[in-house]
Amino acid sequence: MTDPFAEVVAQLQPSLPFSKAASGSGHWQLQASGGGVPFFCVILEGGARVALNAMPAVDLAENDFILVPAADSFSMGSIGTEPVAGRDPAAVTIRADETRHGDPDGPPNMRALVGRLEFGSPDAGLLLALLPSVIYIRGLSRLATLVQLIRDEAVARRPAREMIIEHLLQVLLIEALRSASERASAPGLLRGLADARLAAAIRAMHQSPARNWSIAQLAHAAAMSRSAFFERFRKEVGMAPMSYLQSWRMAMAKGLLRRRDGGIKEIAERVGYGSASAFSVAFTRLVGVPPMQYARAASP
Protein backbone atom coordinates (compact mmCIF):
# COMPACT_ATOMS: atom_id res chain seq x y z
CA MET A 1 0.00 0.00 0.00
CA THR A 2 1.21 3.51 -0.82
CA ASP A 3 2.57 5.31 2.25
CA PRO A 4 2.15 9.12 2.19
CA PHE A 5 4.69 9.51 5.02
CA ALA A 6 7.38 7.79 2.96
CA GLU A 7 6.48 9.66 -0.21
CA VAL A 8 6.52 13.09 1.41
CA VAL A 9 9.88 12.39 3.09
CA ALA A 10 11.37 11.09 -0.18
CA GLN A 11 10.18 14.21 -2.00
CA LEU A 12 11.82 16.41 0.65
CA GLN A 13 15.29 15.01 -0.22
CA PRO A 14 16.77 15.47 3.28
CA SER A 15 20.48 15.97 3.90
CA LEU A 16 22.60 16.72 6.98
CA PRO A 17 24.89 19.75 6.53
CA PHE A 18 25.65 20.08 10.25
CA SER A 19 25.47 18.03 13.44
CA LYS A 20 27.32 18.04 16.75
CA ALA A 21 27.46 16.44 20.16
CA ALA A 22 26.79 18.84 23.04
CA SER A 23 26.81 18.67 26.81
CA GLY A 24 25.96 20.96 29.70
CA SER A 25 27.26 21.18 33.24
CA GLY A 26 26.15 23.22 36.22
CA HIS A 27 23.95 26.23 35.51
CA TRP A 28 24.13 26.83 31.74
CA GLN A 29 22.13 28.38 28.94
CA LEU A 30 22.43 29.22 25.28
CA GLN A 31 20.44 31.27 22.80
CA ALA A 32 20.72 31.28 19.05
CA SER A 33 18.90 32.28 15.90
CA GLY A 34 17.62 29.29 13.98
CA GLY A 35 17.63 31.14 10.66
CA GLY A 36 14.36 29.46 9.67
CA VAL A 37 16.07 26.15 8.92
CA PRO A 38 14.99 22.66 10.06
CA PHE A 39 16.51 21.68 13.39
CA PHE A 40 16.48 18.56 15.57
CA CYS A 41 17.72 17.65 19.04
CA VAL A 42 17.74 14.35 20.92
CA ILE A 43 18.70 14.08 24.61
CA LEU A 44 21.06 11.19 25.26
CA GLU A 45 21.59 11.77 29.01
CA GLY A 46 20.11 14.05 31.66
CA GLY A 47 17.73 16.79 30.60
CA ALA A 48 17.36 20.35 29.35
CA ARG A 49 14.76 23.11 29.04
CA VAL A 50 14.17 24.07 25.42
CA ALA A 51 12.18 26.93 23.87
CA LEU A 52 11.68 27.25 20.13
CA ASN A 53 10.07 29.93 17.94
CA ALA A 54 8.80 31.93 20.93
CA MET A 55 6.72 28.94 22.06
CA PRO A 56 6.47 27.94 25.75
CA ALA A 57 9.55 26.11 27.02
CA VAL A 58 9.43 22.33 27.41
CA ASP A 59 11.61 20.09 29.55
CA LEU A 60 13.35 17.33 27.61
CA ALA A 61 14.59 14.14 29.27
CA GLU A 62 16.64 11.17 28.10
CA ASN A 63 15.55 9.86 24.67
CA ASP A 64 13.24 12.83 24.09
CA PHE A 65 13.35 14.12 20.54
CA ILE A 66 12.33 17.45 19.04
CA LEU A 67 12.16 18.34 15.35
CA VAL A 68 11.35 21.85 14.11
CA PRO A 69 10.75 22.13 10.34
CA ALA A 70 11.60 25.84 10.48
CA ALA A 71 13.48 27.10 13.56
CA ASP A 72 13.53 30.89 13.87
CA SER A 73 14.76 31.16 17.45
CA PHE A 74 16.23 28.64 19.84
CA SER A 75 17.16 28.60 23.51
CA MET A 76 18.30 25.78 25.74
CA GLY A 77 19.35 25.60 29.37
CA SER A 78 19.77 23.50 32.48
CA ILE A 79 16.87 22.42 34.69
CA GLY A 80 16.77 23.05 38.43
CA THR A 81 20.27 24.51 38.81
CA GLU A 82 21.27 27.72 40.58
CA PRO A 83 23.64 30.37 39.18
CA VAL A 84 27.16 30.36 40.61
CA ALA A 85 28.82 33.68 41.34
CA GLY A 86 31.60 34.48 38.90
CA ARG A 87 30.66 31.71 36.47
CA ASP A 88 29.16 32.62 33.10
CA PRO A 89 26.18 30.35 32.26
CA ALA A 90 26.70 31.14 28.57
CA ALA A 91 30.31 29.90 28.61
CA VAL A 92 31.16 27.51 25.76
CA THR A 93 34.13 25.14 25.65
CA ILE A 94 34.96 23.43 22.37
CA ARG A 95 36.27 19.93 22.88
CA ALA A 96 37.45 17.35 20.39
CA ASP A 97 34.32 15.22 20.78
CA GLU A 98 31.64 17.70 21.88
CA THR A 99 30.71 21.30 22.69
CA ARG A 100 30.43 21.91 26.45
CA HIS A 101 28.04 24.56 27.79
CA GLY A 102 28.45 25.98 31.28
CA ASP A 103 31.05 24.57 33.67
CA PRO A 104 33.92 23.25 31.52
CA ASP A 105 35.15 20.82 34.20
CA GLY A 106 32.05 19.70 36.10
CA PRO A 107 30.01 16.53 35.62
CA PRO A 108 27.48 16.81 32.77
CA ASN A 109 23.79 17.16 33.54
CA MET A 110 22.91 16.92 29.84
CA ARG A 111 24.29 15.24 26.73
CA ALA A 112 22.59 15.68 23.39
CA LEU A 113 22.97 15.39 19.65
CA VAL A 114 21.77 18.37 17.66
CA GLY A 115 21.70 18.93 13.95
CA ARG A 116 20.50 21.09 11.11
CA LEU A 117 18.71 19.57 8.15
CA GLU A 118 18.44 20.72 4.56
CA PHE A 119 15.76 19.71 2.11
CA GLY A 120 16.71 19.57 -1.57
CA SER A 121 13.18 19.73 -2.90
CA PRO A 122 12.03 23.09 -4.28
CA ASP A 123 8.66 22.11 -2.85
CA ALA A 124 10.06 21.83 0.66
CA GLY A 125 8.08 24.85 1.82
CA LEU A 126 4.83 23.38 0.56
CA LEU A 127 5.52 19.94 2.01
CA LEU A 128 6.73 21.31 5.35
CA ALA A 129 3.58 23.41 5.57
CA LEU A 130 1.71 20.11 5.89
CA LEU A 131 3.70 19.23 9.02
CA PRO A 132 3.38 20.62 12.57
CA SER A 133 5.56 23.60 13.50
CA VAL A 134 7.20 21.46 16.21
CA ILE A 135 7.34 17.67 16.43
CA TYR A 136 8.04 16.59 20.01
CA ILE A 137 8.35 12.90 20.92
CA ARG A 138 9.05 11.66 24.43
CA GLY A 139 11.06 8.62 25.42
CA LEU A 140 11.41 6.84 22.06
CA SER A 141 14.85 5.25 22.19
CA ARG A 142 14.70 4.25 18.51
CA LEU A 143 14.97 7.91 17.52
CA ALA A 144 18.01 8.40 19.73
CA THR A 145 19.61 5.34 18.12
CA LEU A 146 18.89 6.62 14.62
CA VAL A 147 20.33 10.04 15.41
CA GLN A 148 23.44 8.41 16.87
CA LEU A 149 23.88 6.35 13.68
CA ILE A 150 23.50 9.48 11.57
CA ARG A 151 26.03 11.31 13.73
CA ASP A 152 28.52 8.41 13.45
CA GLU A 153 28.20 8.39 9.66
CA ALA A 154 28.57 12.16 9.46
CA VAL A 155 31.81 12.08 11.45
CA ALA A 156 33.31 9.05 9.70
CA ARG A 157 34.57 9.01 6.12
CA ARG A 158 33.46 5.58 5.05
CA PRO A 159 32.39 4.55 1.53
CA ALA A 160 28.81 5.39 0.50
CA ARG A 161 28.60 7.82 3.43
CA GLU A 162 26.19 10.28 1.77
CA MET A 163 23.84 7.53 0.60
CA ILE A 164 23.69 5.96 4.07
CA ILE A 165 23.06 9.34 5.73
CA GLU A 166 20.27 10.12 3.27
CA HIS A 167 18.52 6.81 3.94
CA LEU A 168 18.98 7.09 7.72
CA LEU A 169 17.52 10.61 7.62
CA GLN A 170 14.51 9.32 5.71
CA VAL A 171 13.99 6.60 8.31
CA LEU A 172 14.41 9.16 11.11
CA LEU A 173 11.84 11.53 9.62
CA ILE A 174 9.34 8.76 8.90
CA GLU A 175 9.73 7.41 12.44
CA ALA A 176 9.27 10.91 13.88
CA LEU A 177 6.22 11.63 11.73
CA ARG A 178 4.40 8.40 12.43
CA SER A 179 5.17 8.69 16.14
CA ALA A 180 3.84 12.25 16.15
CA SER A 181 0.74 11.49 14.07
CA GLU A 182 -1.27 10.22 17.05
CA ARG A 183 -0.78 13.45 19.01
CA ALA A 184 -0.82 16.05 16.22
CA SER A 185 -2.75 19.11 17.39
CA ALA A 186 -2.29 21.54 14.47
CA PRO A 187 -3.97 21.02 11.08
CA GLY A 188 -1.72 19.26 8.58
CA LEU A 189 -0.85 15.97 6.99
CA LEU A 190 -0.24 14.27 10.36
CA ARG A 191 -3.74 15.07 11.60
CA GLY A 192 -5.20 13.96 8.31
CA LEU A 193 -3.41 10.62 8.43
CA ALA A 194 -4.35 10.16 12.09
CA ASP A 195 -8.00 10.26 11.01
CA ALA A 196 -8.79 6.77 9.68
CA ARG A 197 -11.37 7.97 7.16
CA LEU A 198 -9.33 10.88 5.81
CA ALA A 199 -6.23 8.65 5.72
CA ALA A 200 -8.03 6.31 3.33
CA ALA A 201 -8.67 9.21 0.92
CA ILE A 202 -5.14 10.59 1.23
CA ARG A 203 -3.64 7.16 0.54
CA ALA A 204 -5.94 6.78 -2.46
CA MET A 205 -4.68 10.10 -3.89
CA HIS A 206 -1.06 9.06 -3.38
CA GLN A 207 -1.65 5.59 -4.79
CA SER A 208 -3.38 6.83 -7.96
CA PRO A 209 -2.41 10.47 -8.58
CA ALA A 210 -3.23 10.12 -12.30
CA ARG A 211 -6.86 9.24 -11.63
CA ASN A 212 -9.44 11.88 -12.45
CA TRP A 213 -10.55 12.24 -8.86
CA SER A 214 -13.75 13.98 -7.83
CA ILE A 215 -14.87 15.01 -4.36
CA ALA A 216 -17.56 12.33 -4.56
CA GLN A 217 -14.97 9.60 -5.29
CA LEU A 218 -12.67 10.74 -2.49
CA ALA A 219 -15.61 10.97 -0.10
CA HIS A 220 -16.55 7.42 -1.08
CA ALA A 221 -12.99 6.25 -0.32
CA ALA A 222 -13.40 7.86 3.11
CA ALA A 223 -16.89 6.36 3.56
CA MET A 224 -18.36 9.81 4.14
CA SER A 225 -20.80 12.17 2.49
CA ARG A 226 -19.28 14.76 0.14
CA SER A 227 -20.03 17.76 2.37
CA ALA A 228 -18.86 16.06 5.57
CA PHE A 229 -15.67 14.84 3.87
CA PHE A 230 -14.87 18.25 2.39
CA GLU A 231 -15.30 20.10 5.70
CA ARG A 232 -13.44 17.48 7.74
CA PHE A 233 -10.54 17.36 5.28
CA ARG A 234 -10.19 21.14 5.24
CA LYS A 235 -10.36 21.31 9.04
CA GLU A 236 -7.86 18.51 9.70
CA VAL A 237 -5.38 18.97 6.83
CA GLY A 238 -5.63 22.74 6.54
CA MET A 239 -6.56 22.86 2.85
CA ALA A 240 -9.28 21.61 0.54
CA PRO A 241 -8.95 18.04 -0.84
CA MET A 242 -8.41 19.19 -4.43
CA SER A 243 -5.80 21.73 -3.34
CA TYR A 244 -3.90 18.96 -1.58
CA LEU A 245 -4.18 16.71 -4.63
CA GLN A 246 -2.98 19.45 -6.97
CA SER A 247 -0.08 20.33 -4.68
CA TRP A 248 0.99 16.70 -4.51
CA ARG A 249 0.73 16.29 -8.29
CA MET A 250 2.92 19.34 -8.86
CA ALA A 251 5.48 18.13 -6.34
CA MET A 252 5.62 14.82 -8.20
CA ALA A 253 5.87 16.59 -11.57
CA LYS A 254 8.79 18.72 -10.41
CA GLY A 255 10.64 15.63 -9.26
CA LEU A 256 10.06 13.87 -12.59
CA LEU A 257 11.15 16.96 -14.52
CA ARG A 258 14.31 17.38 -12.45
CA ARG A 259 15.26 13.77 -13.12
CA ARG A 260 14.23 13.97 -16.79
CA ASP A 261 12.07 10.93 -16.09
CA GLY A 262 9.95 10.97 -19.22
CA GLY A 263 8.71 13.52 -21.72
CA ILE A 264 6.12 16.21 -21.01
CA LYS A 265 3.23 14.09 -22.32
CA GLU A 266 4.23 11.09 -20.22
CA ILE A 267 4.74 13.18 -17.09
CA ALA A 268 1.40 14.91 -17.66
CA GLU A 269 -0.35 11.53 -17.77
CA ARG A 270 1.48 10.24 -14.69
CA VAL A 271 0.32 13.19 -12.58
CA GLY A 272 -3.28 13.24 -13.73
CA TYR A 273 -3.54 15.54 -16.75
CA GLY A 274 -5.26 14.45 -19.94
CA SER A 275 -2.91 16.29 -22.27
CA ALA A 276 0.53 17.89 -22.33
CA SER A 277 -1.03 21.28 -23.05
CA ALA A 278 -3.38 21.11 -20.06
CA PHE A 279 -0.46 20.09 -17.83
CA SER A 280 1.75 22.88 -19.20
CA VAL A 281 -0.92 25.50 -18.55
CA ALA A 282 -1.49 24.30 -15.00
CA PHE A 283 2.22 23.94 -14.25
CA THR A 284 3.03 27.40 -15.61
CA ARG A 285 0.19 28.97 -13.60
CA LEU A 286 1.26 27.34 -10.33
CA VAL A 287 5.06 27.30 -10.71
CA GLY A 288 5.59 30.43 -12.78
CA VAL A 289 7.53 28.88 -15.67
CA PRO A 290 6.67 26.25 -18.34
CA PRO A 291 7.65 22.62 -17.60
CA MET A 292 10.51 22.47 -20.12
CA GLN A 293 12.02 25.70 -18.85
CA TYR A 294 11.79 24.37 -15.30
CA ALA A 295 13.44 21.09 -16.35
CA ARG A 296 16.34 22.90 -18.06
CA ALA A 297 16.92 25.16 -15.05
CA ALA A 298 16.67 22.32 -12.53
CA SER A 299 18.87 19.79 -14.32
CA PRO A 300 22.44 19.40 -13.08
Side-chain angles (χ1 to χ4, degrees):
M1 181 181 291
T2 299
D3 187 341
F5 279 157
E7 290 194 329
V8 168
V9 170
Q11 287 283 355
L12 283 170
Q13 303 170 42
S15 62
L16 184 72
F18 168 78
S19 67
K20 72 174 183 178
S23 67
S25 179
H27 181 71
W28 60 273
Q29 58 186 227
L30 68 96
Q31 289 187 325
S33 170
V37 301
F39 165 87
F40 70 84
C41 172
V42 61
I43 303 296
L44 302 179
E45 299 175 18
R49 183 160 293 156
V50 177
L52 293 147
N53 295 350
M55 298 178 67
V58 295
D59 289 349
L60 302 183
E62 184 174 333
N63 290 329
D64 285 0
F65 175 87
I66 195 162
L67 171 66
V68 186
D72 296 313
S73 62
F74 169 74
S75 67
M76 192 171 182
S78 54
I79 301 173
T81 58
E82 296 296 330
V84 177
R87 184 165 289 166
D88 182 6
V92 177
T93 305
I94 305 300
R95 298 178 171 179
D97 58 342
E98 67 180 17
T99 300
R100 165 60 63 89
H101 298 276
D103 185 353
D105 303 313
N109 52 32
M110 182 280 301
R111 290 191 188 277
L113 290 172
V114 298
R116 187 175 73 245
L117 300 177
E118 284 185 357
F119 297 119
S121 171
D123 288 305
L126 178 147
L127 296 171
L128 291 174
L130 297 171
L131 304 180
S133 58
V134 177
I135 297 170
Y136 171 50
I137 299 165
R138 181 178 293 277
L140 194 61
S141 60
R142 290 194 304 274
L143 286 174
T145 301
L146 283 167
V147 173
Q148 184 67 64
L149 288 170
I150 291 168
R151 169 70 181 170
D152 291 346
E153 283 295 329
V155 171
R157 293 289 175 179
R158 293 187 284 261
R161 168 179 172 269
E162 296 300 328
M163 180 183 294
I164 290 173
I165 289 176
E166 179 183 354
H167 286 299
L168 285 173
L169 283 172
Q170 290 188 1
V171 174
L172 172 71
L173 292 176
I174 291 169
E175 185 70 38
L177 293 179
R178 72 181 184 182
S179 298
S181 63
E182 297 179 357
R183 58 181 71 90
S185 58
L189 181 60
L190 296 189
R191 260 183 45 181
L193 290 173
D195 184 309
R197 293 194 175 187
L198 296 184
I202 293 171
R203 289 193 176 95
M205 285 188 267
H206 279 247
Q207 187 171 356
S208 303
R211 181 172 174 177
N212 186 24
W213 289 105
S214 66
I215 290 292
Q217 290 168 333
L218 291 171
H220 179 74
M224 299 174 69
S225 70
R226 284 181 294 179
S227 59
F229 168 73
F230 182 87
E231 289 303 323
R232 190 149 144 186
F233 194 102
R234 187 168 60 177
K235 177 184 176 182
E236 298 299 320
V237 181
M239 63 177 67
M242 289 306 176
S243 296
Y244 178 85
L245 177 60
Q246 187 176 53
S247 297
W248 180 244
R249 283 171 168 172
M250 286 300 154
M252 288 183 60
K254 286 182 177 181
L256 294 170
L257 288 166
R258 286 194 303 274
R259 299 191 300 271
R260 297 296 182 98
D261 191 357
I264 297 298
K265 185 176 185 298
E266 180 186 353
I267 291 174
E269 292 173 352
R270 289 168 69 178
V271 299
Y273 288 84
S275 67
S277 60
F279 168 67
S280 295
V281 169
F283 190 94
T284 303
R285 183 179 71 252
L286 293 169
V287 180
V289 296
M292 285 305 300
Q293 183 178 337
Y294 177 86
R296 285 194 296 269
S299 295

